[in-house]
Amino acid sequence: MAAFKIAVLEGDGIGPEIMAEAVKLLKVVAERSGLELDLGYGAFGASAYFSHGRAFPDETKRLCDEAQAILKGPIGLSHEESQKIPVDEQPERGALLPLRRRYNTFANFRPVYLPQELAHFSPLKSAVIGSGIDFIIIRELVGGLYFGAKESGINAQGKRYVTESLEYDEDQISRIAHVAFDTAMGRKKVLHNIHKSNVLKSSVLWNEIIAEVGANYPEVEVRHILVDAAATYLCLNPGQFDVMVMENMFGDILSDQGGGILGSLGLMPSACVGPEKAYYEPSHGSAPDIAGQNIANPYSMIGSVAMMLEMSLHLPEEGSRLWQAMRRVFGRGYCTPDLSQETDVKMISTSDFGDLVVEELAAAD
Ligand code: NAD
């Protein structure tokens, strides 16, 4: 069988540290399952700008074009450091959005999961968490405000101005709606549609298409919630959610809130899926405040590997073994500093976490 080609983009900040653990685990899984891997590393993000003059260099584009899947670490710099890079080459504008556009990765899956036994990681009271937190955010990833027309300059009154438009056509909404309904069919058959139709015309069209697509899924109950109210309910009663679908920027913001209610963004992996290719990345950024200290939580990056095993390599059992091994490490009382709110935890480093997951995988054999 030909080797499975993966482009590995370590990114910036904590990216290389958490990617090292993710690749360590990926190799263990490959060894065990007889999977041959062809890993190619490419420069991407702010580090690529400094080493190659471009945030998404041509070599990296070729590597990604040839890969069957892409594993991407977080990118970005602190606000102050970002100013050293021209605006259009700053990592999101210069690398991340072009990557999403290039592979049309319109469907972003962001699981927000915390089993009851790990509820102590969450800042929410156990009465609010109940039997645990378990929902998935389906975020539209290549349209909306982030990809609409942008213009800035000086207006007729001599004032600086900027315009950014939130653009969708019906096909873009329809395809993400299908993904959301299909996901709901595989879970509890309840879909929360998150919108802002009381203000935004884009949400009016969004809701029309949700209703049209929903007609093909009569078993799925659709519940409509305004995005601002959804932010509140995520804190007050996250258990009401199972599958949530939303526009690009809404998803960016609410999924970070998802990380907040779990207790750390380090618990937020994701998959970004297009018609031909998918890439896998943590939902969070490069965490410059803790970079280089071997203290970042690699769960998000290893979880992204688990999602790749499930969605691109079609090895759901291997993905599931990886999730379980990570949770057993937490279950043994270990955690990285981002999660430690209690005194009796066994604090571990990024690389310790990876080693313990390797140990758990071996013990499960
Ligand atoms: P961030 O997500 O990097 O960090 C927010 C907070 O969460 C910080 O306190 C950080 O230490 C913590 N955190 C994040 N991941 C963690 C992990 N795995 N383990 C432990 N703690 C973790 O957000 P920010 O500081 O606003 O942004 C930093 C940079 O990341 C910016 O340049 C931003 O543009 C970029 N960014 C990139 C992506 C991406 O690559 N997809 C996403 C979001 C932000």
Side-chain angles (χ1 to χ4, degrees):
M1 196 175 73
F4 189 85
K5 275 189 178 212
I6 301 173
V8 181
L9 316 179
E10 294 175 293
D12 304 316
I14 60 170
E17 299 164 60
I18 58 175
M19 185 65 84
E21 301 315 306
V23 169
K24 187 193 283 179
L25 266 309
L26 179 59
K27 286 180 176 168
V28 170
V29 171
E31 175 87 37
R32 183 185 175 277
S33 54
L35 177 72
E36 212 182 311
L37 295 176
D38 177 356
L39 305 181
Y41 283 72
F44 191 72
S47 46
Y49 174 76
F50 293 120
S51 60
H52 292 67
R54 300 295 303 272
F56 191 4
D58 288 343
E59 302 89 297
T60 305
K61 287 181 184 154
R62 274 196 297 277
L63 182 80
C64 293
D65 287 350
E66 287 164 13
Q68 287 160 281
I70 300 163
L71 205 49
K72 177 200 153 286
I75 55 164
L77 297 173
S78 66
H79 177 71
E80 296 70 27
E81 287 295 306
S82 294
Q83 313 307 310
K84 296 180 182 163
I85 302 181
V87 170
D88 288 332
E89 280 300 317
Q90 286 171 4
E92 271 87 350
R93 270 181 295 269
L96 186 61
L97 299 186
L99 176 76
R100 291 175 179 169
R101 192 180 288 118
R102 191 171 185 87
Y103 303 114
N104 199 11
T105 54
F106 67 94
N108 185 199
F109 296 80
R110 295 190 156 183
V112 184
Y113 180 75
L114 195 68
Q116 193 175 33
E117 63 273 19
L118 300 181
H120 54 279
F121 288 158
S122 172
L124 302 183
K125 292 181 186 134
S126 53
V128 173
I129 294 179
S131 59
I133 298 173
D134 183 7
F135 62 91
I136 184 161
I137 291 180
I138 310 281
R139 169 188 174 194
E140 200 293 325
L141 201 60
V142 296
L145 195 57
Y146 291 2
F147 283 83
K150 297 171 196 303
E151 188 185 290
S152 58
I154 307 289
N155 68 16
Q157 289 75 42
K159 304 282 186 194
R160 286 169 292 172
Y161 79 97
V162 62
T163 310
E164 289 182 308
S165 52
L166 200 168
E167 297 173 14
Y168 276 114
D169 68 26
E170 59 180 300
D171 292 345
Q172 286 176 299
I173 302 171
S174 170
R175 65 185 179 179
I176 192 72
H178 277 282
V179 169
F181 278 102
D182 287 339
T183 306
M185 282 299 288
R187 293 179 53 119
K188 293 183 181 163
K189 300 188 174 138
V190 175
L191 175 64
H192 281 88
N193 174 45
I194 309 302
H195 65 95
K196 187 71 185 170
S197 68
N198 53 343
V199 175
L200 297 176
K201 293 284 277 284
S202 55
S203 283
V204 173
L205 178 63
W206 178 279
N207 291 354
E208 271 173 36
I209 309 288
I210 290 284
E212 287 166 20
V213 173
N216 302 307
Y217 297 85
E219 288 173 67
V220 177
E221 181 195 342
V222 181
R223 298 183 191 158
H224 299 279
I225 301 197
L226 292 170
V227 62
D228 37 352
T232 308
Y233 296 138
L234 278 175
C235 296
L236 296 182
N237 181 15
Q240 71 184 278
F241 296 113
D242 190 55
V243 180
M244 303 171 83
V245 63
M246 62 198 80
E247 184 269 335
N248 199 343
M249 187 173 73
F250 296 167
D252 189 7
I253 296 170
L254 286 193
S255 58
D256 260 36
Q257 191 173 346
I261 65 173
L262 296 184
S264 171
L265 282 171
L267 294 177
M268 289 287 296
S270 89
C272 311
V273 181
E276 270 135 41
K277 200 168 302 206
Y279 84 91
Y280 299 85
E281 65 169 355
S283 297
H284 57 73
S286 58
D289 52 335
I290 57 166
Q293 300 175 46
N294 194 23
I295 59 170
N297 185 348
Y299 178 100
S300 54
M301 193 75 243
I302 301 172
S304 301
V305 166
M307 294 182 84
M308 183 177 74
L309 290 168
E310 291 163 351
M311 299 169 85
S312 283
L313 280 145
H314 309 294
L315 293 171
E317 294 85 16
E318 296 299 334
S320 160
R321 282 166 46 82
L322 204 43
W323 291 120
Q324 285 164 23
M326 288 201 287
R327 287 169 195 150
R328 280 198 302 275
V329 172
F330 289 138
R332 285 166 62 192
Y334 293 108
C335 75
T336 43
D338 51 312
L339 290 169
S340 61
Q341 293 178 3
E342 298 186 342
T343 46
D344 57 348
V345 292
K346 291 177 256 182
M347 194 86 81
I348 51 169
S349 67
T350 310
S351 48
D352 289 339
F353 186 87
D355 291 342
L356 284 163
V357 181
V358 172
E359 204 178 288
E360 284 294 337
L361 278 181
D365 274 341

